[in-house]
Amino acid sequence: PRSYANLWGTVHSSTEGGDATSLSGNEGEEAEPAVADIKATVQNDSVNISDFPVKDIVTSIVGDADAADAMVEQLGPVNYSIGYEPTVSEAGDCISLAFNAEPLEISFPIPSSEEEGEAQQLTIEVEVEAAENGMYTVAGSNLKFGITAQNVFLVVGEEKTALENFSPIKLDFDLEKVK
């Protein structure tokens, strides 16, 4: 696919309506938005995010920031691609992006408890929603959009289990074209 722009900027994350656990995983703390630098490439039909910010998602699953840091480090960069349908405004000054977000899958190897047993894969499947369209402004070369990590499932082999205590995490992206 044709690449239209390389973008960089920030992503702000916050829990949605769930203040029992902050993004740090500490019970009773108010959730404060976390900020991370982000890079993305816009193709003719998708936005490809390199090194997707999974730390807050992993922290909310394991409940311990230090354990989450170790898991994220073990994972390395996680890439995520979000498909979209573009609509150019009548004035031609902005492009609305109707996103078609697919689940994000993150896989970890689980060592076998038996000496000669094979390691299994634990897959975390994150249901991603994009309730509103993204907006790219031509004059400012700026792309803004938000997605929500709505639900999380643990997948081991063929078994898929929803995490009942997961609070949705909203990710707001503010990206500009690299010049």
Side-chain angles (χ1 to χ4, degrees):
R2 182 173 168 217
S3 177
Y4 287 111
N6 290 316
L7 306 170
W8 65 272
T10 58
V11 59
H12 300 266
S13 64
S14 59
T15 57
E16 233 182 44
D19 57 7
T21 304
S22 73
L23 294 180
S24 68
N26 296 322
E27 292 294 324
E29 281 187 14
E30 283 295 317
E32 293 186 22
V35 180
D37 291 329
I38 200 86
K39 293 180 183 176
T41 303
V42 177
Q43 305 281 330
N44 61 350
D45 62 352
S46 63
V47 175
N48 302 302
I49 302 167
S50 56
D51 204 5
F52 188 84
V54 297
K55 181 181 177 194
D56 293 335
I57 296 169
V58 174
T59 300
S60 70
I61 293 167
V62 299
D64 178 88
D66 292 333
D69 285 341
M71 292 175 82
V72 170
E73 186 175 320
Q74 179 187 4
L75 269 176
V78 174
N79 299 319
Y80 182 62
S81 182
I82 308 169
Y84 69 85
E85 289 289 328
T87 303
V88 179
S89 68
E90 285 186 32
D93 59 347
C94 61
I95 302 168
S96 175
L97 308 177
F99 289 107
N100 177 22
E102 296 289 329
L104 168 66
E105 291 189 1
I106 307 166
S107 293
F108 295 93
I110 301 173
S112 174
S113 57
E114 301 171 12
E115 283 186 35
E116 295 180 21
E118 289 186 35
Q120 284 190 316
Q121 284 291 104
L122 168 67
T123 300
I124 298 170
E125 183 179 293
V126 182
E127 182 181 279
V128 179
E129 292 182 1
E132 298 178 12
N133 288 356
M135 189 62 64
Y136 180 80
T137 55
V138 176
S141 298
N142 180 256
L143 173 62
K144 291 185 179 187
F145 66 97
I147 59 175
T148 302
Q150 194 65 36
N151 294 302
V152 173
F153 302 91
L154 296 181
V155 183
V156 179
E158 299 295 319
E159 190 174 321
K160 184 175 177 178
T161 307
L163 291 180
E164 299 298 326
N165 295 329
F166 180 78
S167 293
I169 297 175
K170 175 102 169 101
L171 301 166
D172 291 308
F173 294 84
D174 187 356
L175 307 170
E176 292 183 4
K177 186 174 181 178
V178 176
K179 299 183 187 213

